[in-house]
């Protein structure tokens, strides 16, 4: 399956960076000698996207897609479906621009993420038992209310916005040879890999999903988008399907991901604990999957200089506190 006409290009990512300048944070890299020792690499750096104002990388794509809309569309308001972080990001960006925002969330979205979206002034619509149901409701509202629909991942402007993260990596970690990316709908991996491989085509890109409900990985195995039952997981931000009518992210992930891997719930929990104990980071499960993979003791592809995307910190703090107090 080739990417459709209109798929994002590296040039689109550079344009996206100019468009969102001043509206998102340039996040730092944190060296982790502990993880480097664990996997035998020369260096491991953590890209701290959890320091975005909305608490996750999603602010990049949501802001860019919102600003790319025609002014008359923005004036009517926007709607999306989300597993939590995209909805929060769009609500943040919409509030900053004075745009009305509606976010459709399924019953699987944690209560803290639902509350965070509401606190940003967005209208929350609870729709169905999984992400597919939330998407269906968002599309219905877009049609009936005339709202601009901004998907969580499968859209050129969203992918280009996420790709701005890759441009920062090229500047701040020019010697990287391995990039570890949480993988769900694929918008993040597609954008970041598109930016990085345009300059450094030999960088080994690793997509990492939980063992539960890994829709993109199952679709890659099948050679086409397939439905996968959404399951409860610590990495709740990586839940949901990729859409049977996926137009962009599936083809880009298939072309750009060199390795895809799944990690267990126990590995995710252990990585969250270790990132807190040693790097003093509060991470949600989805943000810890890269560290979970390196804890197995090697870098996929044999790389020596790895960068791990630590994508968000929107975790229920009561649950997080209980988790980090548990013994491995």
């Amino acid at each position: 399956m080739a990417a459709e006409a209109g798929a994002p290009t590296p040039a689109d990512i550079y344009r996206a960076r100019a468009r969102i300048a001043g509206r998102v944070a340039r996040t730092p890299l944190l060296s982790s000698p502990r993880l480097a020792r664990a996997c035998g690499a020369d260096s491991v750096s953590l890209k701290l996207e959890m320091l975005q104002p909305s608490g996750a990388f999603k602010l990049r794509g949501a802001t860019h897609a919102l600003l790319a809309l025609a002014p008359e569309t923005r004036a009517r308001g926007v709607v999306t479906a989300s597993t939590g972080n995209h909805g929060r990001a769009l609500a943040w960006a919409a509030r900053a621009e004075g745009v009305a925002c509606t976010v459709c969330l399924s019953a699987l979205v944690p209560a803290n993420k639902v509350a965070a979206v509401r606190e940003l002034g967005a209208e929350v619509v609870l729709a169905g038992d999984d992400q597919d149901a939330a998407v269906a409701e968002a599309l219905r509202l877009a049609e009936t209310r005339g709202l601009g629909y901004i998907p969580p991942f499968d859209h050129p402007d969203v992918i280009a916005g996420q790709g701005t993260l890759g441009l920062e990596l090229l500047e701040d970690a020019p010697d990287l040879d391995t990039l570890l990316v949480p993988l769900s709908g694929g918008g993040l991996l597609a954008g970041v890999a598109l930016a990085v491989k345009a300059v450094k085509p030999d960088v080994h890109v690793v997509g990492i999903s939980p063992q539960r409900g890994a829709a993109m990985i199952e679709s890659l195995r099948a050679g086409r988008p397939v439905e996968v039952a959404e399951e409860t997981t610590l990495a709740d931000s990586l839940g949901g399907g990729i859409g049977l009518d996926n137009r962009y992210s599936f083809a880009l992930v298939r072309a750009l991901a060199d390795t895809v891997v799944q990690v267990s719930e126990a590995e995710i929990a252990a990585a969250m604990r270790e990132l807190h104990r040693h790097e003093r980071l509060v991470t949600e499960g989805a943000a810890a999957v890269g560290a979970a993979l390196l804890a197995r003791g090697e870098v996929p592809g044999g790389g020596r200089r790895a960068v791990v995307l630590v994508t968000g910190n929107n975790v229920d703090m009561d649950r997080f506190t209980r988790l980090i107090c548990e013994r491995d």
Side-chain angles (χ1 to χ4, degrees), residues 164-241:
T164 61
L165 194 163
L167 300 183
E168 292 179 18
L169 292 179
L170 289 168
E171 294 165 350
D172 295 344
D175 63 344
L176 87 159
D177 58 23
T178 307
L179 182 57
L180 291 91
V181 187
L183 178 62
S184 178
L188 176 61
L189 190 150
V192 174
L194 190 63
V196 169
K197 282 182 175 280
V199 177
K200 298 193 67 174
D202 292 336
V203 168
H204 193 93
V205 175
V206 185
I208 309 151
S209 299
Q211 289 180 345
R212 297 178 178 176
M216 179 61 80
I217 288 182
E218 291 301 322
S219 296
L220 293 170
R221 288 170 178 160
R224 56 182 174 79
V226 297
E227 290 185 349
V228 173
E230 191 171 349
E231 301 180 60
T232 301
T233 170
L234 277 172
D236 53 85
S237 295
L238 300 182

Side-chain angles (χ1 to χ4, degrees), residues 293-305:
L293 180 59
L294 292 185
R296 292 179 178 176
E298 62 181 6
V299 181
R304 306 299 306 168
R305 296 171 299 280

Side-chain angles (χ1 to χ4, degrees), residues 21 24 30 69 151 258 284:
V24 304
L30 175 68
L69 289 174
D258 299 291
E284 55 188 276

Side-chain angles (χ1 to χ4, degrees), residues 71-112:
E72 59 270 22
T73 302
R74 285 201 302 273
R76 292 193 297 271
V78 294
V79 64
T80 194
S82 173
T83 55
N85 284 342
H86 173 69
R88 185 172 184 171
L90 186 59
W92 182 285
R95 185 177 68 172
E97 301 298 324
V99 175
C101 178
T102 301
V103 180
C104 298
L105 303 168
S106 82
L108 287 177
V109 176
N112 69 295

Side-chain angles (χ1 to χ4, degrees), residues 95-324:
R95 185 177 68 172
E97 301 298 324
V99 175
C101 178
T102 301
V103 180
C104 298
L105 303 168
S106 82
L108 287 177
V109 176
N112 69 295
K113 292 188 175 182
V114 177
V117 173
R118 282 202 177 103
E119 288 168 5
L120 288 167
E123 176 187 355
V124 170
V125 176
L126 299 179
D129 294 329
D130 58 25
Q131 175 73 352
D132 290 342
V135 169
E137 178 63 9
L139 291 170
R140 188 189 71 80
L141 291 175
E143 177 67 24
T144 58
R145 298 184 185 178
L147 304 176
Y149 175 60
I150 297 181
F153 54 86
D154 190 36
H155 190 282
D157 292 328
V158 173
I159 293 169
Q162 317 304 23
T164 61
L165 194 163
L167 300 183
E168 292 179 18
L169 292 179
L170 289 168
E171 294 165 350
D172 295 344
D175 63 344
L176 87 159
D177 58 23
T178 307
L179 182 57
L180 291 91
V181 187
L183 178 62
S184 178
L188 176 61
L189 190 150
V192 174
L194 190 63
V196 169
K197 282 182 175 280
V199 177
K200 298 193 67 174
D202 292 336
V203 168
H204 193 93
V205 175
V206 185
I208 309 151
S209 299
Q211 289 180 345
R212 297 178 178 176
M216 179 61 80
I217 288 182
E218 291 301 322
S219 296
L220 293 170
R221 288 170 178 160
R224 56 182 174 79
V226 297
E227 290 185 349
V228 173
E230 191 171 349
E231 301 180 60
T232 301
T233 170
L234 277 172
D236 53 85
S237 295
L238 300 182
I242 70 167
L244 296 181
D245 58 349
N246 188 291
R247 298 178 61 189
Y248 305 103
S249 64
F250 173 74
L252 287 167
V253 169
R254 186 165 66 171
L256 298 170
D258 299 291
T259 303
V260 293
V261 186
Q262 291 171 264
V263 291
S264 71
E265 296 297 299
E267 288 176 307
I268 295 169
M272 293 171 70
R273 283 192 288 270
E274 294 303 295
L275 286 168
H276 181 263
R277 289 172 183 168
H278 299 282
E279 282 79 27
R280 301 295 189 262
L281 300 179
V282 174
T283 59
E284 55 188 276
V289 296
L293 180 59
L294 292 185
R296 292 179 178 176
E298 62 181 6
V299 181
R304 306 299 306 168
R305 296 171 299 280
V307 172
V308 178
L309 303 191
V310 183
T311 47
N313 65 5
N314 294 322
V315 60
D316 179 271
M317 287 306 298
D318 289 337
R319 186 183 190 189
F320 182 78
T321 300
R322 291 192 299 272
L323 186 149
I324 64 172

